[in-house]
Amino acid sequence: PEVKKFVAWDYLVFAALFLVCASIGVFFAVKERKKKTSKEFLVGGKQMTCGPIAFSLTSSFMSAVTVLGTPSEVYRYGASFVLFFLSYALVIIFTAELFLPVFYRSGITSTYEYLELRFNKVVRLAATLIYILQTILYTGIVVYAPSLALNQVTGFDLWGSVVATGMVCTFYCTLGGLKAVVWTDAFQMIVMIVGFVTVLVRGTTLNGGPTKVWEDAYEGSRLNIFDFDVDPLRRHTFWTIVIGGTFTWLGIYGVNQSTIQRCISCKSEKHAKLALYLNLLGLWTVLACAVFCGLVMYSHYKSCDPWTADFISAPDQLMPYFVMDIFSSMPGVPGLFVACAFSGTLSTVAASINALATVTFEDLVKKGFPNLSEKMSTWISKGLCILYGVLCTSMAAAASLLGGVVQASLSIHGMCGGPMLGLFTLGIVFPCANWKGATGGLLAGITLAFWAGTGSFIYPAPPTKSIPLPLLTLNCTLANSTEALTTAAPTATPDRPLLADTWYSLSYLYFSAIGCLGCAVTGLLISFMTGPSKGEDIPPVLIKPVCNLFCFWSERLRACLWCGVRHDSPEVDFEKNLPRVVANKTGTDDTSKNSINRENKRQFPGYNPEEKSYTN
């Protein structure tokens, strides 16, 4: 059946959303124009409350990938995706209790700054480069996903819209101000939820109510959620999702620059933790909506699957196709949905480009050319925004080769985020790890994760391990459907290497765990071989004494497991002591650095040198 294209109303709704987003951006750009330097903007703030930050965190990690990918994932593989609610909970608890306190108290603005305080400049540089790589790859997918959808529903040219998205976001970022606009994110979050809910309500009523949808899903074996098979090669089982998913999302959440930067901008550590726990509710809501959309979609197409029947060219187009199908009589609603997919993209891409430009400028350009004038710096930053805009848009071309968007984006996060997670865990949990261990571990983790990841991309897992559930095309009214079905028979793959059916066939959710454990184990081994670092030299702020949880009965055992870090000394009293501690322990270089920091701090509005804090 020919699905309707966009009409004038749809374009109107779509344009309205863009205008609102853009105007919020412009409003803040004008309002904040007094704050000239990036440094003042990052440090002088610390005034955000938990509400907007929670919205913002949810919105930017629930990009178009979630809106389009998750429902089609559930439609094809069943509702086991819902188990991610367990992984999300674990991730938020770890982030809020283990990583956040360390980052917040050490008073840093970039997570990679922590690596320099804890290890040295080499480690920081390596981590920065990996972050840049990860973000460019991921942003490519995020740009490509909604353009694919838009192409399906509106007949709008695919590459035209990829380039358009890239250009709009690059324009935003070069305009500046967007990074500050946590509010745009909050607005987009609401649009996303509204979009999902309208689709759910309409789809459920068309298919005979919730009980009918549930029965259909049950008959189509879409509800076999708890599959306790331990085989790590199976794509989605209880263990792959809960263990693998936790590692993958911890790499995205616990140590990622964009998350931590937002949490650090909260008034107090309590607000930052609250923001994370509120954001967990947001993640659960979006996950539930997406999974139910998938089930409703299955109920709707149970006897005629548009993908196997060749009405659409990729499984990620199922959701937009479904929307155009059920809302064909209601102009304006499909526009809302596409706007919903797009708004996720704009916030993610714009934030990515901005973060990339910031990180490159702070960690690479400034290190190489310390004496740049303000004007020159601004121009370089704008140039970087444009450069990364172009790079991310061209990555979208590569994204078209990667298969399903959910799997592709989580694989990339796993391959780059896992080793980073291992690196920060080494720094925060193990006082004995030294910089040689950190560098070696990072290399080992990256090598392992990329080896498994690229292997699985070149030699995809044998179909028995990731079989989509059966989809029927009985009632499809199309002449060429038979030809389509005969041509789609899988061709026998040529000779596969020895590792193809074991190592390369691992579930994509385990890439992060491999990278993280590889990094931590190698790092500890190398540290012990080259002489572990002495606990007395490490400021206690930089270490989280995890052992206190397990050894609460014995003071001596606890002190022994602290490896010499003075957690019990009176100096631990929060970040105001960090400069002094670092200065005393590591000699002149840091002393001069911290005296400069103190000089700078005095110049920020609201800084009170006596109390060493910002007054509201």
Side-chain angles (χ1 to χ4, degrees):
E2 187 52 43
V3 169
K4 307 276 189 300
K5 297 292 180 202
F6 257 30
V7 292
W9 277 106
D10 296 322
Y11 283 113
L12 202 69
V13 171
F14 189 56
L17 179 105
F18 264 54
L19 277 174
V20 172
C21 287
S23 55
I24 295 180
V26 172
F27 167 76
F28 274 95
V30 172
K31 189 181 159 209
E32 306 275 327
R33 68 182 186 282
K34 299 278 193 300
K35 301 184 176 171
K36 296 180 293 292
T37 61
S38 61
K39 207 67 181 157
E40 193 165 357
F41 194 74
L42 288 173
V43 189
K46 288 210 176 185
Q47 300 303 337
M48 295 303 288
T49 49
C50 54
I53 293 283
F55 263 128
S56 162
L57 283 172
T58 310
S59 158
S60 51
F61 285 110
M62 294 293 163
S63 58
V65 172
T66 317
V67 179
L68 305 171
T70 312
S72 81
E73 191 80 18
V74 171
Y75 174 83
R76 290 167 61 215
Y77 293 99
S80 55
F81 215 80
V82 83
L83 288 171
F84 268 104
F85 82 91
L86 283 175
S87 338
Y88 289 158
L90 288 170
V91 166
I92 297 296
I93 292 170
F94 273 117
T95 306
E97 304 304 331
L98 177 67
F99 294 111
L100 181 73
V102 175
F103 291 137
Y104 198 93
R105 289 170 200 181
S106 53
I108 53 179
T109 45
S110 142
T111 42
Y112 307 108
E113 229 172 295
Y114 169 83
L115 293 175
E116 189 174 336
L117 288 173
R118 173 70 179 80
F119 299 115
N120 63 7
K121 289 196 174 82
V122 180
V123 182
R124 176 179 181 174
L125 184 69
T128 306
L129 291 173
I130 291 165
Y131 172 74
I132 291 176
L133 174 76
Q134 172 187 1
T135 312
I136 291 177
L137 286 170
Y138 175 61
T139 312
I141 293 175
V142 176
V143 171
Y144 173 71
S147 303
L148 183 75
L150 197 69
N151 160 44
Q152 174 59 35
V153 288
T154 60
F156 194 74
D157 181 55
L158 177 64
W159 296 109
S161 74
V162 165
V163 172
T165 313
M167 279 170 62
V168 169
C169 290
T170 312
F171 163 74
Y172 259 153
C173 288
T174 327
L175 179 86
L178 195 89
K179 193 70 179 172
V181 195
V182 171
W183 290 105
T184 318
D185 280 350
F187 169 71
Q188 286 162 350
M189 179 71 203
I190 293 161
V191 172
M192 257 158 95
I193 299 283
V194 169
F196 264 143
V197 171
T198 35
V199 173
L200 274 175
V201 172
R202 173 83 177 152
T204 317
T205 43
L206 278 182
N207 292 311
T211 35
K212 183 78 176 68
V213 170
W214 198 253
E215 280 165 20
D216 286 339
Y218 184 73
E219 282 161 22
S221 63
R222 289 295 185 277
L223 295 180
N224 302 346
I225 296 174
F226 295 101
D227 172 1
F228 289 101
D229 186 353
V230 233
D231 181 4
L233 308 184
R234 292 274 307 281
R235 192 161 176 275
H236 282 166
T237 63
F238 179 83
W239 304 114
T240 42
I241 291 184
V242 172
I243 298 173
T246 303
F247 272 105
T248 306
W249 279 92
L250 254 183
I252 303 176
Y253 251 80
V255 296
N256 194 336
Q257 171 65 24
S258 48
T259 322
I260 297 296
Q261 193 164 359
R262 281 179 208 159
C263 293
I264 291 176
S265 73
C266 286
K267 281 182 184 173
S268 63
E269 197 182 317
K270 196 172 164 193
H271 268 280
K273 283 187 179 176
L274 257 177
L276 280 169
Y277 287 119
L278 281 174
N279 151 53
L280 179 58
L281 296 177
L283 290 177
W284 280 349
T285 314
V286 176
L287 181 68
C289 287
V291 171
F292 279 117
C293 276
L295 295 178
V296 169
M297 207 154 62
Y298 175 70
S299 172
H300 192 79
Y301 291 130
K302 63 178 181 293
S303 55
C304 173
D305 166 42
W307 185 45
T308 355
D310 259 17
F311 299 153
I312 53 176
S313 54
D316 296 311
Q317 294 177 344
L318 273 163
M319 189 73 181
Y321 179 86
F322 176 59
V323 169
M324 293 308 285
D325 198 351
I326 59 176
F327 289 119
S328 50
S329 56
M330 303 162 82
V333 184
L336 175 77
F337 174 77
V338 173
C340 154
F342 250 88
S343 64
T345 296
L346 284 184
S347 69
T348 311
V349 176
S352 296
I353 295 177
N354 215 313
L356 282 170
T358 313
V359 166
T360 313
F361 185 70
E362 290 291 324
D363 290 351
L364 304 176
V365 179
K366 267 194 174 170
K367 290 265 188 284
F369 308 96
N371 306 328
L372 287 171
S373 67
E374 270 301 318
K375 200 172 183 184
M376 194 62 195
S377 303
T378 321
W379 280 109
I380 290 177
S381 308
K382 288 189 175 175
L384 284 171
C385 278
I386 294 169
L387 168 75
Y388 282 122
V390 173
L391 273 176
C392 292
T393 316
S394 40
M395 262 317 295
S400 59
L401 311 169
L402 286 178
V405 284
V406 173
Q407 183 165 346
S409 72
L410 285 181
S411 304
I412 284 169
H413 275 316
M415 293 184 324
C416 301
M420 296 288 266
L421 178 64
L423 181 63
F424 280 102
T425 313
L426 270 180
I428 290 173
V429 181
F430 300 105
C432 50
N434 61 20
W435 71 270
K436 298 184 187 92
T439 322
L442 187 60
L443 286 174
I446 284 282
T447 315
L448 282 171
F450 266 87
W451 181 25
T454 35
S456 78
F457 177 58
I458 300 169
Y459 304 103
T464 48
K465 297 296 179 191
S466 61
I467 251 172
L469 297 170
L471 296 163
L472 305 172
T473 50
L474 300 176
N475 306 356
C476 291
T477 48
L478 246 205
N480 67 352
S481 61
T482 46
E483 299 160 35
L485 291 176
T486 47
T487 50
T491 49
T493 44
D495 50 318
R496 292 160 68 85
L498 200 58
L499 288 171
D501 293 328
T502 49
W503 179 241
Y504 293 161
S505 303
L506 270 176
S507 167
Y508 69 97
L509 287 171
Y510 278 135
F511 296 158
S512 180
I514 292 174
C516 175
L517 297 174
C519 174
V521 173
T522 319
L524 286 174
L525 285 176
I526 296 180
S527 296
F528 278 118
M529 279 153 49
T530 55
S533 48
K534 298 202 168 40
E536 295 80 42
D537 301 345
I538 304 169
V541 178
L542 300 181
I543 305 280
K544 179 85 182 165
V546 185
C547 52
N548 290 6
L549 282 175
F550 309 108
C551 315
F552 50 85
W553 65 87
S554 152
E555 288 285 323
R556 280 184 58 195
L557 185 60
R558 268 202 322 218
C560 172
L561 286 173
W562 284 346
C563 304
V565 182
R566 300 186 183 145
H567 289 296
D568 47 3
S569 65
E571 272 193 328
V572 181
D573 192 30
F574 253 37
E575 67 193 270
K576 53 175 112 169
N577 285 314
L578 183 66
R580 195 170 71 237
V581 176
V582 179
N584 296 349
K585 301 264 170 74
T586 51
T588 53
D589 176 38
D590 284 334
T591 322
S592 59
K593 188 166 78 183
N594 287 303
S595 62
I596 294 169
N597 279 352
R598 258 175 252 134
E599 287 302 318
N600 288 348
K601 274 188 181 162
R602 279 182 204 141
Q603 299 155 9
F604 295 142
Y607 182 67
N608 179 348
E610 279 75 44
E611 292 178 18
K612 297 205 169 99
S613 67
Y614 297 92
T615 45
N616 210 336

